[in-house]
Amino acid sequence: MPATIVMGGQWGDEGKGKLTDSLAISADIVVRANGGANAGHTVKTDQGVFKLHLIPSGILNSDTTCLVGAGVVIDPRVVLDEMEALEARGISLARLRISERAHVVLPYHPILDRLEESDRLEGSIGTTLRGNGPAYSDKVARRGIRMVDLVDKTTLRYRLSRELPRWNRILTHVYGVDALILDELVNELREYGDRLRPYVGSIEPVIADALAEGKSLIVECAQGAMLDIDYGTYPFVTSSSTTAAGACQGAGIPPTSVERVLGVYKAYSTRVGAGPLPTELEDDTGQLIRERGNEYGTTTGRPRRTGWFDAVAARYVARLNGITDIALTLLDVFDVFESIEVCVGYEIDGERVETVPASAEALARAIPVYERLEGWRQSTVDARRPEDLPAEARAYLAFLERHIGVPISLVGVGPAREQLIPYAGASEALASPARA
Ligand code: GDP
Ligand code: IMO
Ligand code: MG
């Protein structure tokens, strides 16, 4: 069976971890495609809550092989901590393999991330300070060190001895902070390399064989399409490709093997860090969404910014990525709402706009054009079938389908595995999909 991509349709934290975990029950392999420890994927199982940063969310299914793709940047300290914590909870790592082509987040990358952020002053991006941006910068500048180098003691020393002097000049002369000492760095990283060596190798043959044998494969993306380096709200974006095309590249999956692109969207909008969020609610309604949705960052604990669903951005992402169907999560957050608004257009400098402008400044000036829908004012958390959902909730889903132009196939009414409803989709609503 061909591949399914699970990707974020908004600004991250849509519930990709939960969806990957749920779909992994019937998948042979889960491959993480992009990002690094900036990601925080929460999965709730019978064993409690797991917060995954680098290990694919498929790891909680005992039969699923989990691969970390070449497009991921790996902080060895973080991944080792995460592996230890999983093992302590009885999760086997025997099925884990990390691509030798993945780049390493080196100890100087988080230092640079912090220094670059403070340098940006009021223009700061609000990064997770995990060193991802500097690690990806080094990768494209061809200064990076990869997992294949980390596990080879001689190459590691040689490569670091080439790269560190330049970074030390920048640390001391540009930023006026202490230089790092080569021997200390090498020793620390060699120890990580020793511990990670059993897991590091080539993953392309594993994927190629699996596809040839008709096995099913899930690609788990990090972040969301609105944070994509090319198509997001640049420069308020992450440093990797968070799109379906990026998923193929980062995971090493041939595009021709992709059968399904599942866009994960939450029932409203959130964003962590800086950058435009046209539907942002900085009032009691926004706070109510934050409290009911527990909208505090998995990785940094920062309160997430909240707002109404932005159907303009959602449709832009759906069309760009060829999203085949949608998992709409956190519908239960609206259970107490009298009414709900959805942004169906923007007004920018007096003009009606129906797609996402390239300029973050223009998007920041966008005044959302809203349509108001009735709330359902009853609990959905026990709903297990579409017909268990109140009529107003189904009307909300149909409205979103019509405006995004893609059917909803799954609906989330809570964080637990069983709180995910297979949904038929209001196909009649798709007869005339909205076009930007
Ligand atoms: P990810 O980064 O896309 O994997 O998403 P996060 O894990 O950062 O954030 C999603 C949060 O919502 C997590 O705490 C999930 O447990 C939770 N969650 C997922 N789906 C639902 C849902 O349908 N309802 C509720 N109430 N919580 C959900
Ligand atoms: P998951 O996979 C939400 C945001 C940061 C910041 C910007 C750049 O859990 O959905 P970075 O550290 O990547 O250089 O920060 O991107 N960001 C995320 N926001 N969810 C994420 O991941 C994110 N990963 C990065 O808050 O605004
Ligand atoms: Mg997250």
Side-chain angles (χ1 to χ4, degrees), residues 125-129 272-274 295-304:
I125 296 166
T127 76
T128 58
L129 303 176
V272 207
E295 295 296 354
Y296 296 90
T298 311
T299 300
T300 58
R302 289 180 290 179
R304 294 176 184 148

Side-chain angles (χ1 to χ4, degrees), residues 75-409:
D75 184 329
R77 280 181 290 207
V78 177
V79 82
L80 283 164
D81 284 352
E82 198 171 326
M83 287 162 69
E84 243 174 48
L86 286 169
E87 278 189 313
R89 292 174 76 177
I91 308 296
S92 164
L93 299 177
R95 301 158 287 123
L96 175 68
R97 198 173 171 90
I98 300 171
S99 171
E100 58 194 1
R101 295 178 192 274
H103 279 248
V104 180
V105 175
L106 294 156
Y108 46 79
H109 289 136
I111 299 174
L112 290 161
D113 202 351
R114 190 173 290 277
L115 293 167
E116 287 174 9
E117 271 290 86
S118 24
D119 235 21
R120 291 184 186 111
L121 302 171
E122 70 280 359
S124 82
I125 296 166
T127 76
T128 58
L129 303 176
R130 295 296 186 272
N132 281 55
Y136 279 115
S137 304
D138 267 359
K139 168 177 167 171
V140 294
R142 291 153 300 178
R143 283 194 294 263
I145 291 180
R146 301 189 297 169
M147 294 304 288
V148 68
D149 309 319
L150 181 77
V151 298
D152 178 328
K153 286 186 160 57
T154 315
T155 312
L156 176 68
R157 185 177 189 94
Y158 171 72
R159 299 277 294 110
L160 275 173
S161 70
R162 305 270 305 179
E163 304 304 338
L164 188 62
R166 181 180 165 283
W167 281 123
N168 273 341
R169 285 199 298 280
I170 292 171
L171 288 174
T172 53
H173 297 323
V174 176
Y175 293 112
V177 300
D178 290 344
L180 299 178
I181 297 158
L182 178 66
D183 281 341
E184 285 179 14
L185 216 58
V186 170
N187 289 341
E188 181 186 347
L189 290 165
R190 277 183 175 169
E191 193 224 310
Y192 301 147
D194 284 341
R195 290 167 63 197
L196 286 169
R197 193 170 297 110
Y199 300 95
V200 175
S202 151
I203 68 164
E204 299 82 37
V206 182
I207 290 172
D209 289 347
L211 288 172
E213 289 162 23
K215 291 187 173 164
S216 65
L217 213 140
I218 291 171
V219 184
E220 179 182 13
C221 297
Q223 290 84 48
M226 293 302 288
L227 289 172
D228 180 73
I229 185 75
D230 293 303
Y231 297 101
T233 55
Y234 193 91
F236 302 100
V237 292
T238 192
S239 299
S240 67
S241 296
T242 62
T243 54
C248 291
Q249 178 72 5
I253 309 282
T256 44
S257 69
V258 178
E259 179 184 58
R260 182 180 184 195
V261 181
L262 179 68
V264 188
Y265 293 77
K266 53 176 82 169
Y268 45 90
S269 301
T270 64
R271 173 164 206 161
V272 207
L277 182 65
T279 61
E280 184 162 14
L281 293 166
E282 291 176 282
D283 57 7
D284 290 349
T285 307
Q287 184 58 20
L288 185 61
I289 293 176
R290 185 173 304 110
E291 292 309 324
R292 291 191 51 80
N294 190 25
E295 295 296 354
Y296 296 90
T298 311
T299 300
T300 58
R302 289 180 290 179
R304 294 176 184 148
R305 297 158 62 197
T306 54
W308 297 121
F309 192 89
D310 184 339
V312 179
R315 183 181 53 220
Y316 162 74
V317 167
R319 283 152 56 95
L320 177 70
N321 292 279
I323 287 178
T324 53
D325 54 324
I326 289 173
L328 205 277
T329 60
L330 293 126
L331 185 71
D332 52 299
V333 167
F334 282 145
D335 284 355
V336 300
F337 280 57
E338 295 287 321
S339 63
I340 300 165
E341 298 191 32
V342 178
C343 167
V344 295
Y346 303 141
E347 207 185 282
I348 305 178
D349 304 332
E351 293 213 13
R352 172 83 179 224
V353 174
E354 297 200 340
T355 190
V356 177
S359 154
E361 286 74 19
L363 189 60
R365 292 197 303 278
I367 301 163
V369 178
Y370 287 118
E371 284 201 31
R372 186 188 298 254
L373 285 90
E374 272 296 295
W376 42 95
R377 288 155 286 176
Q378 56 178 288
S379 174
T380 57
V381 298
D382 295 319
R384 295 294 174 266
R385 300 166 306 167
E387 53 271 35
D388 297 337
L389 291 172
E392 294 84 356
R394 281 184 281 155
Y396 182 63
L397 298 173
F399 186 88
L400 296 187
E401 286 184 324
R402 195 166 69 247
H403 280 273
I404 306 171
V406 175
I408 294 173
S409 61

Side-chain angles (χ1 to χ4, degrees), residues 20-28 61 63-64 218 417:
T20 302
D21 169 70
S22 296
L23 299 186
I25 293 169
S26 52
D28 298 294
N61 279 281
D63 296 330
T64 316
I218 291 171
R417 278 173 167 170

Side-chain angles (χ1 to χ4, degrees), residues 13-18 40-42 298 304 329-330 332 412-415:
D13 303 325
E14 300 90 347
K16 299 173 293 294
K18 175 184 167 170
H41 294 183
T42 315
T298 311
R304 294 176 184 148
T329 60
L330 293 126
D332 52 299
V413 291

